[in-house]
Amino acid sequence: EPLLERFYHMLGRYGVGLQTISPGKRWSERDTVLITYADMVQGEEGTPLAAFRKLCAERLKGAISTIHLLPFFPWSSDDGFSVIDFREVEQSYGNWEDIRALGSEFTLMFDLVLNHCSVQSSWFKDYVSGVEPAANYFVEAEPELDLSAVVRPRSSPLLAPIETRSGERHLWTTFSDDQVDLNWRCPDLLFEFLDIIMLYLSMGCRILRLDAVAFLWKEVGTDCLHRPQTHEVIKLLRDFLDVVAPETVLLTETNVPHEENVSYFGKGDEAHLVYQFSLPPLLLHGLLEGSSRHLTEWASQLAPPPKGCSYLNFTASHDGIGVRPLEGILSPDEVRQLATKVEGRGGHVSMRSGTEGEDVPYELNVTYFDALAEPGDDALTEARFRCSQAVALAMQGIPAVYFHSLTGTRNDHEGVKDTGRARSINRRKWQDSELRSLLDDAESLPARVFEWYSRALRHRSACCAFHPDAPQAIHDFGPELFVLERTALDDSQTILCLFNFTSGIIPVADQGHLAELFPDGCTRDLLGGSELDLPADGLELRPYQALWLVAR
């Protein structure tokens, strides 16, 4: 009861919760998320956020609806995910006014980094000094405890010794000794984060991404992953948002095998959105192998999400390409072979310890463009990359596009050398003048990819069959092709999407299905924007060609 009373007194903070907006339709075919760092584009004058807003407003209106700003708060490590102050904007990026200005042009997604914070935060300093309430904000553990069952994505020590006013304590550090885990058993911490959420909502946040949420609840003797209490915290946050801002969408970030990942839908009462984590590595494997077999099998078995929920489909993000989501889909040998191919294309492979203590691939660090490179054949590389992106845009759900996919960015080896971190290979920052110069040069790779991508996104946004809730059917036309069909919720439009996964010319095996969908043979390719009359002797696809066919 005291907690409910405390919640009641929060209503109206930052002007949030006084007038709630009915969620109505949460999403449509017009929704596409752009994933970016706040300082992805840096101008000679003004703030990076202002330069980025100007570029997006000029070149991406109608193609992108939502911008996911990766953590833009003061930070000490992990490129923003070791947060020093959750309520401030990192000065070198800009300020809250810049965020609001961006929010006037696009819908915004913010990260809620709720598993840990920086050792440089005021919370941690208060903990060390024994100051309430932060004295209870962190997870202590005795080093003698058996914590061998704990699952982690890092090889650094799980516990870090800290000198406090009360003597030495050992604190839980899942990700690094600069990122100290937070104690979600503490009611004061919960209300701290509820207040932070309300601040974010007041600044234009409409999608809230729960970073690394699978690790949230610590319980000695367990793997500390996906604990029931973690799911209860997510339900609580969902209930909270339903009261103060029901139009807000909750997204969980859990880079784990598919069945574990989709558990965060709950019964439709937890996350509205989960990432489709198996898609990026599965798509990469299929295109490099020249076979859609595994992708077709996996996609045909995908259960539709619960009512009111959807998938976020992506190929690349600020992180590497996680391969744990391939467990149960590809064999360990196939995963190792994929890792070897990525290394051969200039990428890096991050390892973790397997059940027997052996090193197994955990994450592929490479730009998605270079991951698909065909050495010595730039045209084939570009066609293969476009095919990969066209698949992700066609799948049921909401597309999420990393900024470097829009520009066909190559591996940033200098960045890796400068930071010593493999993930820097896909985190290049653009100078505004250089990027604009490249985008204005029609012959440059960034311009070609950007023009194709933005056009594909605009065409997609005009098709009701690409509504996130519109069903999809997967067809098996043989291992060379990946084929899916999307049908509008009101049956007013059907789109047949065909993708050649090989470097050869491939005939479409099931001409009967084409004749059934397009009896007069008159179609339009939505990707190319051109009319296409189906040949009497059968349709063939060029190497890595992607078609989105609709009757005209």
Side-chain angles (χ1 to χ4, degrees):
E1 194 170 314
L3 295 182
L4 278 175
E5 189 174 326
R6 194 168 168 183
F7 164 70
Y8 175 77
H9 286 300
M10 288 187 74
L11 294 178
R13 289 296 301 274
Y14 312 106
V16 173
L18 296 176
Q19 290 183 316
T20 57
I21 303 167
S22 169
K25 295 178 180 175
R26 288 192 188 278
W27 41 64
S28 77
E29 60 275 13
R30 297 185 177 278
D31 284 310
T32 300
V33 176
L34 177 64
I35 307 165
T36 183
Y37 283 100
D39 61 341
M40 184 66 83
V41 178
Q42 303 178 12
E44 292 178 10
E45 295 178 5
T47 65
L49 276 167
F52 179 75
R53 182 196 64 76
K54 191 168 186 290
L55 183 84
C56 290
E58 289 172 4
R59 299 180 186 250
L60 287 171
K61 276 292 182 74
I64 295 293
S65 66
T66 301
I67 291 177
H68 171 201
L69 280 178
L70 291 159
F72 49 83
F73 320 106
W75 55 279
S76 54
S77 65
D78 201 12
D79 284 346
F81 284 91
S82 183
V83 179
I84 295 173
D85 189 337
F86 290 87
R87 293 180 173 88
E88 293 296 330
V89 177
E90 164 58 38
Q91 284 185 356
S92 63
Y93 302 163
N95 54 40
W96 280 119
E97 285 308 306
D98 289 316
I99 303 284
R100 283 181 181 275
L102 188 61
S104 70
E105 308 265 10
F106 300 91
T107 298
L108 298 180
M109 182 197 299
F110 292 179
D111 277 274
L112 190 68
V113 185
L114 72 179
N115 180 73
H116 50 261
C117 71
S118 168
V119 295
Q120 294 183 30
S121 67
S122 61
W123 295 355
F124 187 73
K125 290 171 183 170
D126 283 352
Y127 164 80
V128 169
S129 302
V131 177
E132 298 282 352
N136 306 304
Y137 278 10
F138 299 94
V139 184
E140 297 180 354
E142 295 300 326
E144 298 78 26
L145 287 171
D146 180 6
L147 301 174
S148 58
V150 176
V151 170
R152 311 173 55 218
R154 300 284 191 275
S155 56
S156 55
L158 176 59
L159 299 182
I162 302 294
E163 279 301 328
T164 77
R165 192 174 177 182
S166 308
E168 187 179 70
R169 295 289 184 269
H170 288 81
L171 294 186
W172 205 286
T173 53
T174 297
F175 290 89
S176 77
D177 58 8
D178 184 58
Q179 294 164 289
V180 197
D181 286 36
L182 294 161
N183 176 20
W184 278 83
R185 285 179 164 85
C186 172
D188 289 320
L189 182 79
L190 167 66
F191 279 92
E192 188 92 59
F193 270 101
L194 294 182
D195 182 84
I196 289 165
I197 289 170
M198 292 179 89
L199 171 65
Y200 293 175
L201 295 172
S202 76
M203 294 297 176
C205 173
R206 185 174 164 266
I207 304 179
L208 194 66
R209 176 185 183 269
L210 304 184
D211 174 63
V213 69
F215 301 95
L216 195 70
W217 199 269
K218 281 68 179 173
E219 194 170 355
V220 175
T222 75
D223 59 7
C224 299
L225 198 64
H226 317 311
R227 302 307 302 157
Q229 296 92 333
T230 297
H231 287 279
E232 290 301 321
V233 169
I234 295 169
K235 288 178 190 173
L236 188 153
L237 295 180
R238 169 78 175 263
D239 290 343
F240 174 71
L241 290 170
D242 283 347
V243 172
V244 301
E247 71 278 13
T248 309
V249 172
L250 205 57
L251 165 67
T252 47
E253 186 261 329
T254 53
N255 196 346
V256 292
H258 182 75
E259 289 307 314
E260 297 171 40
N261 184 39
V262 296
S263 73
Y264 286 85
F265 283 136
K267 295 177 180 175
D269 57 352
E270 293 185 40
H272 299 99
L273 293 175
V274 302
Y275 286 91
Q276 193 73 276
F277 274 113
S278 298
L279 181 61
L282 203 48
L283 193 50
L284 177 62
H285 175 267
L287 285 163
L288 291 180
E289 289 294 320
S291 171
S292 67
R293 183 169 61 89
H294 287 303
L295 182 63
T296 296
E297 188 178 334
W298 169 78
S300 62
Q301 294 172 1
L302 268 181
K307 186 174 170 55
C309 299
S310 192
Y311 293 112
L312 201 67
N313 296 318
F314 72 113
T315 59
S317 73
H318 62 292
D319 286 340
I321 303 164
V323 294
R324 273 208 72 206
L326 291 176
E327 290 174 18
I329 303 172
L330 299 188
S331 70
D333 277 348
E334 287 173 312
V335 173
R336 277 191 287 271
Q337 288 164 15
L338 177 61
T340 300
K341 287 185 176 180
V342 165
E343 284 181 317
R345 287 162 171 80
H348 302 273
V349 179
S350 299
M351 310 297 275
R352 66 180 178 92
S353 293
T355 50
E356 306 297 320
E358 77 283 15
D359 278 346
V360 293
Y362 169 76
E363 184 179 82
L364 311 177
N365 301 112
V366 65
T367 70
Y368 212 78
F369 189 92
D370 271 345
L372 288 164
E374 184 63 32
D377 195 332
D378 292 345
L380 210 61
T381 297
E382 197 172 330
R384 191 187 270 163
F385 175 74
R386 289 184 184 187
C387 183
S388 74
Q389 304 309 291
V391 171
L393 294 182
M395 295 280 288
Q396 183 182 28
I398 297 170
V401 182
Y402 187 40
F403 194 89
H404 286 307
S405 294
L406 275 186
T407 52
T409 307
R410 312 303 297 260
N411 289 331
D412 184 7
H413 299 296
E414 284 300 311
V416 176
K417 207 156 107 182
D418 290 345
T419 66
R421 295 194 304 272
R423 282 180 167 178
S424 298
I425 201 166
N426 194 24
R427 295 180 176 181
R428 177 185 173 173
K429 304 298 164 63
W430 287 104
Q431 288 299 318
D432 186 48
S433 56
E434 179 194 5
L435 180 56
R436 285 177 179 275
S437 174
L438 285 167
L439 294 180
D440 289 338
D441 175 7
E443 298 303 309
S444 76
L445 172 66
R448 292 197 306 271
V449 173
F450 191 91
E451 191 278 331
W452 174 87
Y453 220 136
S454 52
R455 179 164 38 85
L457 287 169
R458 289 187 175 96
H459 287 168
R460 183 191 183 282
S461 71
C463 299
C464 55
F466 283 135
H467 188 288
D469 300 337
Q472 73 180 12
I474 305 296
H475 299 293
D476 189 351
F477 282 20
E480 297 88 1
L481 301 179
F482 180 62
V483 182
L484 69 89
E485 191 173 314
R486 298 292 304 278
T487 306
L489 291 165
D490 62 359
D491 292 325
S492 63
Q493 185 182 57
T494 297
I495 301 175
L496 185 68
C497 304
L498 303 119
F499 309 94
N500 182 354
F501 268 44
T502 78
S503 58
I505 296 172
I506 301 296
V508 176
D510 192 344
Q511 297 292 338
H513 191 69
L514 286 179
E516 187 183 318
L517 281 180
F518 314 112
D520 60 1
C522 298
T523 70
R524 173 178 289 277
D525 171 26
L526 295 170
L527 262 181
S530 58
E531 294 185 352
L532 179 69
D533 292 322
L534 298 180
D537 56 350
L539 180 65
E540 292 181 333
L541 267 67
R542 299 189 304 275
Y544 301 110
Q545 186 175 9
L547 293 173
W548 293 347
L549 298 181
V550 65
R552 70 173 196 266

